[in-house]
Amino acid sequence: MNLDGFEPKAKKLGVLGVKITQHGKEIAYKTWDEECRRNVYSASKSVTSCAVGFAVQEGLVSLSERLVDAFREDLPETVGEYLEQATVRDLLTMCLGQGEAHLMGGQRPLYKEKDWVKLSLSLPFTHQPNTRFVYNNVGPYLAGVLVQRRCGCDLPSYLTPRLFSHLGITHPTWEIDPMGYTFGAGGLFFTLSELHTFGLFYLQNGVWNGKQLLSPQWIQESTKKQVENGAYGYG
């Protein structure tokens, strides 16, 4: 595929690179800067969701588990009815029940609290879970923390033997919180090709080099529309 017509537009948009695969064949690849690892921001959430998928597959985590059970030692003194109802599944759909966004990029450097798990659970749960979409980093962050606690290591270490080593991704840099947990809602650094490879893994329904690594049911469930948000829906 010839990208000459795209290049002037790419430069105006600040595009750093593009890589396109169709029907299993790479048809276009061009960079306008060196292909180094860069922050992929909220694409990190998809990798955290993948980690949750492996943890569910291995029986470490259940989507139906209530947060008050999963985070029993981190709860505020008063647990409201909506926090009482929230489950692990609600962490992944942006329907956690909190009315505002928290742990966002501009907020994280300003927190005085060191324990972001307790901070997250102390924030107001103003709506019944699974009823209102609010784009909020708390859910994916807590989902990532839960996996780390259950597996006993950080997310890159957990994903390396299960996924990254198969995809040729060498232990990537990932933002951590003040307590040392991988920040599952953002801050992952991938190259263009690494992110492209991760996408191919999902397009192939969890299969890589002929081996089923992750359940195709998880792939299908996690990539479909889960909630209406006034635009395209969120999954």
Side-chain angles (χ1 to χ4, degrees):
M1 177 184 288
N2 191 317
L3 294 175
D4 290 344
F6 177 69
E7 186 161 2
K9 298 178 182 178
K11 289 182 176 180
K12 289 181 181 179
L13 293 170
V15 174
L16 300 176
V18 60
K19 195 169 192 176
I20 303 170
T21 295
Q22 186 178 45
H23 306 309
K25 181 180 179 181
E26 183 181 307
I27 61 173
Y29 173 60
K30 187 175 180 65
T31 59
W32 291 272
D33 196 358
E34 60 182 347
E35 192 180 328
C36 60
R37 279 181 170 165
R38 292 182 168 87
N39 192 342
V40 297
Y41 297 97
S42 283
S44 310
K45 294 176 173 64
S46 294
V47 182
T48 297
S49 170
C50 186
V52 176
F54 279 109
V56 169
Q57 185 168 280
E58 295 171 5
L60 299 176
V61 172
S62 169
L63 293 185
S64 62
E65 186 173 4
R66 297 187 308 158
L67 300 191
V68 292
D69 296 322
F71 297 96
R72 191 181 302 275
E73 305 301 320
D74 306 289
L75 299 173
E77 288 187 12
T78 302
V79 175
E81 62 173 325
Y82 295 145
L83 172 54
E84 181 80 29
Q85 296 171 17
T87 67
V88 172
R89 183 184 184 89
D90 297 319
L91 298 177
L92 301 172
T93 62
M94 295 297 170
C95 292
L96 181 58
Q98 293 181 341
E100 299 178 352
H102 299 282
L103 298 182
M104 308 307 283
Q107 298 171 331
R108 296 198 293 278
L110 305 179
Y111 289 128
K112 295 180 179 180
E113 298 88 343
K114 301 294 185 184
D115 191 329
W116 290 358
V117 176
K118 289 185 177 180
L119 169 65
S120 296
L121 293 168
S122 70
L123 297 167
F125 283 70
T126 56
H127 297 80
Q128 185 176 6
N130 198 34
T131 62
R132 185 170 183 264
F133 176 90
V134 175
Y135 196 84
N136 180 4
N137 276 347
V138 166
Y141 165 69
L142 289 177
V145 169
L146 183 59
V147 172
Q148 291 170 83
R149 288 182 174 181
R150 297 286 168 84
C151 72
C153 62
D154 61 21
L155 292 183
S157 297
Y158 180 66
L159 285 170
T160 291
R162 293 161 178 81
L163 179 67
F164 290 160
S165 61
H166 296 276
L167 272 52
I169 298 174
T170 304
H171 207 283
T173 299
W174 204 331
E175 180 183 344
I176 60 173
D177 75 2
M179 303 293 283
Y181 289 115
T182 305
F183 186 73
L188 171 63
F189 284 68
F190 269 170
T191 66
L192 168 66
S193 293
E194 287 170 341
L195 187 57
H196 174 265
T197 300
F198 179 74
L200 288 179
F201 172 69
Y202 266 67
L203 285 174
Q204 294 170 186
N205 280 315
V207 174
W208 198 257
N209 289 334
K211 185 176 181 180
Q212 188 77 55
L213 303 179
L214 183 58
S215 161
Q217 289 77 27
W218 180 268
I219 300 285
Q220 292 157 18
E221 182 70 11
S222 63
T223 55
K224 76 179 185 181
K225 180 177 175 178
Q226 297 289 336
V227 59
E228 185 62 59
N229 66 356
Y232 304 105
Y234 188 81

